[in-house]
Amino acid sequence: MKSKWLYFLSLATLALMASAPVARAASARPVVAVLYFETEGCKSYLSSVTARYLMTAVAYKGTYEVVTPEKIDKVMEGSGIAEGGAISSAEAIKLGKQVGAAVICRGKVSR
C-alpha cells in the first residue's frame, strides 16, 4: 500500500515537472494549485493529507509557487464551487483561472 502511495506521488510530481516549460513562458515561477483529492474506499482525511504532501513536495525547491489552500477555499466560496468534495473538470479549470494557476493537480485516493 505504501509503495503504491509513493509511486502515485512520484508520478504526480513528475507530471508537474514535465508541464513546467509550458508554464514558465508566462512567468518566472509557474503557479500550481493543488486541490483536495477525492477519496474512495479509504479514510476521508487522506484527501487533505495527500494534497498537503503534494503541496510540500512541489514547493520544496522553490521552483513553483503553490496557491495556499486558504486562497483556494476563499475563491471556492465566492464562486459557488462545491467545497470539500469532488469537482468537475470544468469547475477545476474555472478555479485554476481564478487563482492564477498554470497547473492544477487533482486526483483520487482509493484503496
Side-chain angles (χ1 to χ4, degrees):
M1 173 76 172
K2 191 173 185 177
S3 64
K4 287 183 182 179
W5 172 261
L6 292 174
Y7 177 74
F8 164 76
L9 289 176
S10 298
L11 284 178
T13 303
L14 286 173
L16 190 62
M17 289 177 176
S19 67
V22 174
R24 280 193 186 166
S27 72
R29 284 183 14 169
V31 179
V32 178
V34 179
L35 305 180
Y36 289 120
F37 285 50
E38 294 177 54
T39 56
E40 184 178 287
C42 58
K43 304 283 184 185
S44 61
Y45 72 87
L46 289 174
S47 171
S48 62
V49 169
T50 305
R52 295 276 181 182
Y53 183 86
L54 188 54
M55 281 182 231
T56 303
V58 168
Y60 179 70
K61 288 197 174 188
T63 306
Y64 302 95
E65 180 182 335
V66 179
V67 179
T68 64
E70 294 79 18
K71 183 174 181 179
I72 292 172
D73 290 343
K74 186 176 180 180
V75 170
M76 288 177 82
E77 280 178 17
S79 64
I81 298 173
E83 286 186 64
I87 64 172
S88 69
S89 294
E91 288 175 321
I93 292 169
K94 180 181 172 184
L95 179 63
K97 287 179 182 177
Q98 290 176 340
V99 297
V103 179
I104 302 166
C105 295
R106 60 186 283 241
K108 181 184 288 188
V109 179
S110 61
R111 192 160 231 238

